[in-house]
């Protein structure tokens, strides 16, 4: 096989960044909650068959029927995210006893560097999301049933992560929906993967009325190096979007290359917080027709918003004359953005170059032809081993500290 510079860069980064652990949500409502030796919920998903990655291969390990995560509409919901069940409040059913940290009570991987959850620093986060399928039986859920309804750009960073639930989420059939947690991290701290945990959920205080639209595949349109850090609004998907299924052997809906991961942040028009644009009738779901006068610059967009074309049915000028928050550059309209739960960090996340300059390699890397430049399984496997060793050593140290 011909040497691949990106491959070697990844090896160097993986080893100098000193290894990576992984993370999952933890809650009794999840599938695979008690899987603690093989196929643990926090184990990363990479190059797997559909049955292996779908629900993390945990459909055969369902929660108790009554263990349903209650999500109050219009409210933030705290969910624990950790490398280790033993570091969460659910440690009693974990494999190794109480590892909750008093010195780092909000770290997803207490005692480990942030690279343990694939972040060099707080500007090196890819974001994560919750999605819902309005079906009560997980076995009936299909990949394009899931609608992303809440996003947190500052994820994975806190053990206690808040997800804002849209006020208009309708009730679930039989008081039970099937939800998922979706996470993809940036490529500069450890090898690339996808994360997927399924769980039972219910929207409490929900009012019938609004109905989520049909979720579409997200498209890359936010600010990034290859685009001079500007938006290309005409390339965005507006309205309800599917989660990101990526880097698996089959069943992907994202085909980006290994070093250009799709992300649950502005890069794919997933704004921070509640996804209030997912309901039928709130917007026009068609992707705006690409046109040369709809350029990527915020100033041109502002012109479009200020002078909506009366005949236009594009999502940039829907009927209410209030531009949808998706079409507003957050930096231009912070008050509107915050009122509607949109991000005020237009240039956060994937767009922010980090130290080291290796982002330079990535420009334009997301062409489909690069999709298969993955490091081999050997390298991934070696890294996994290192992760386990490092985390095991940490665990032994913390046990020693806790029990001198
Ligand atoms: C998970 O383990 C705990 C503690 O052993 C047990 O109480 C609970 O019923 C288990 N959950 C499932 C879904 O098996
Ligand atoms: C993301 O989670 C953090 C940590 O819990 C929280 O402080 C922040 O408000 C959350 N962001 C959103 C948009 O909900
Ligand atoms: C589930 O949500 C519905 C609709 O909001 C509510 O009526 C029901 O009480 C909820 N179930 C539980 C157990 O809270
Ligand atoms: C538009 O989005 C597609 C799908 O995410 C992506 O492959 C493509 O590179 C994007 N085009 C531009 C010009 O940003
Ligand atoms: C923006 O996206 C549209 C639609 O995919 C594409 O035709 C156009 O070339 C892109 N513009 C830039 C500046 O990349
Ligand atoms: C959305 O846009 C399409 C294509 O331009 C148009 O046919 C349709 O009527 C629009 N729908 C609404 C609800 O505005
Ligand atoms: C993916 O898995 C298949 C089957 O296990 C293997 O043959 C192939 O080499 C793997 N590809 C990568 C890129 O790891």
């Amino acid at each position: 096989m011909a040497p691949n510079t990106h491959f070697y860069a990844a090896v160097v980064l993986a080893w100098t960044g000193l290894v990576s652990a992984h993370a999952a949500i933890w809650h009794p409502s999840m599938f695979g909650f008690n899987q603690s030796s093989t196929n643990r919920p926090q184990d990363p998903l990479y190059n797997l068959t559909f049955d292996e990655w779908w629900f993390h291969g945990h459909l055969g390990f369902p929660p108790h029927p009554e263990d349903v995560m209650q999500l109050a509409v219009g409210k933030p919901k705290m969910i624990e995210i950790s490398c280790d069940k033993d570091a969460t409040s659910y440690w009693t059913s974990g494999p190794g006893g109480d590892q909750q940290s008093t010195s780092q009570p909000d770290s997803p991987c207490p005692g480990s560097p942030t690279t343990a959850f694939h972040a060099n620093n707080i500007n090196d986060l890819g974001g994560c999301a919750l999605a819902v399928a309005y079906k009560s039986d997980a076995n009936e859920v299909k990949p394009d049933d899931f609608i992303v309804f809440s996003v947190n750009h500052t994820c994975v960073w806190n053990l206690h992560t808040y997800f804002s639930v849209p006020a208009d989420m309708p009730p679930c059939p039989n008081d039970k929906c099937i939800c998922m947690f979706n996470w993809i991290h940036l490529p500069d701290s450890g090898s690339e993967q996808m994360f997927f945990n399924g769980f039972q959920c219910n929207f409490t205080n929900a009012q019938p009325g609004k109905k989520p639209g049909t979720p579409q595949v997200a498209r890359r349109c936010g600010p990034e190096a290859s685009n001079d850090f500007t938006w290309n609004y005409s390339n965005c998907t507006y309205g309800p979007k599917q989660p990101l299924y990526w880097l698996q052997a089959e069943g992907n809906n994202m085909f980006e290359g290994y070093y250009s991961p799709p992300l649950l942040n502005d890069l794919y028009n997933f704004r921070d917080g509640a996804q209030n644009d997912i309901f039928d009738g709130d917007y026009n779901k068609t992707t705006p027709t690409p046109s040369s006068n709809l350029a990527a610059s915020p100033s041109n967009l502002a012109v479009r918003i200020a002078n909506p074309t009366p005949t236009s049915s594009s999502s940039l000028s829907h009927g209410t004359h209030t531009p949808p928050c998706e079409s507003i550059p957050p930096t231009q309209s912070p008050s509107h953005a915050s009122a509607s739960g949109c991000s005020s960090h237009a240039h956060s996340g994937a767009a922010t170059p980090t130290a080291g300059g290796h982002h330079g390699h990535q420009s334009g890397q997301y062409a489909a032809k690069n999709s298969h430049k993955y490091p081999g399984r050997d390298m991934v496997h070696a890294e996994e081993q290192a992760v386990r060793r490092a985390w095991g050593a940490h665990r032994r140290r913390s046990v020693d500290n806790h029990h001198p």
Side-chain angles (χ1 to χ4, degrees), residues 173-235:
N174 309 309
D175 288 356
K176 190 188 286 183
C177 287
I178 300 298
C179 281
M180 78 170 279
F181 168 75
N182 189 201
W183 172 43
I184 294 173
H185 55 76
L186 285 168
D188 38 20
S189 186
S191 51
E192 271 297 342
Q193 306 126 357
M194 176 181 80
F195 292 82
F196 181 150
N197 302 121
F199 59 102
Q200 300 178 142
C201 58
N202 183 42
F203 294 104
T204 64
N205 301 321
Q207 302 299 319
K210 295 221 174 177
K211 183 175 165 293
T214 304
Q216 307 296 320
V217 171
R219 295 173 61 85
R220 195 177 189 102
C221 67
E224 66 171 335
S226 67
N227 197 25
D228 279 341
F229 298 103
T230 55
W231 288 80
N232 184 342
Y233 293 97
S234 61
N235 208 42

Side-chain angles (χ1 to χ4, degrees), residues 47-126:
N47 190 32
L48 299 177
T49 64
F50 181 78
D51 287 347
E52 287 171 327
W53 67 259
W54 181 241
F55 280 78
H56 211 292
H58 286 154
L59 280 177
F61 303 92
H64 299 297
E66 68 277 16
D67 284 334
V68 177
M69 191 189 292
Q70 302 299 332
L71 299 165
V73 300
K75 300 257 164 48
K77 172 71 181 179
M78 190 279 286
I79 298 182
E80 292 181 62
I81 300 177
S82 178
C83 301
D84 182 8
K85 192 182 193 180
D86 292 333
T88 74
S89 63
Y90 302 106
W91 64 269
T92 48
S93 60
D98 187 1
Q99 300 294 326
Q100 292 179 102
S101 168
T102 46
S103 56
Q104 293 180 287
D106 206 22
S107 169
C109 309
S112 293
T114 61
T115 50
F117 44 94
H118 296 280
N120 290 328
N121 55 60
I122 199 170
N123 295 316
D124 191 32
L125 306 176

Side-chain angles (χ1 to χ4, degrees), residues 5-25:
T5 51
H6 298 293
F7 171 84
Y8 290 116
V11 172
V12 168
L13 286 169
W15 288 98
T16 56
L18 204 66
V19 304
S20 311
H22 311 294
I25 59 160

Side-chain angles (χ1 to χ4, degrees), residues 132-187:
V132 62
Y134 272 83
K135 291 181 174 175
S136 302
D137 180 354
N139 295 298
E140 290 177 2
V141 176
K142 303 276 186 299
D144 56 6
D145 288 333
F146 277 123
I147 302 165
V148 172
F149 67 91
S150 185
V151 167
N152 191 311
H153 289 177
T154 317
C155 180
V156 166
W157 190 255
N158 301 101
L159 188 148
H160 307 92
T161 297
Y162 283 83
F163 292 91
S164 198
V165 181
D168 290 326
M169 296 309 290
C172 293
N174 309 309
D175 288 356
K176 190 188 286 183
C177 287
I178 300 298
C179 281
M180 78 170 279
F181 168 75
N182 189 201
W183 172 43
I184 294 173
H185 55 76
L186 285 168

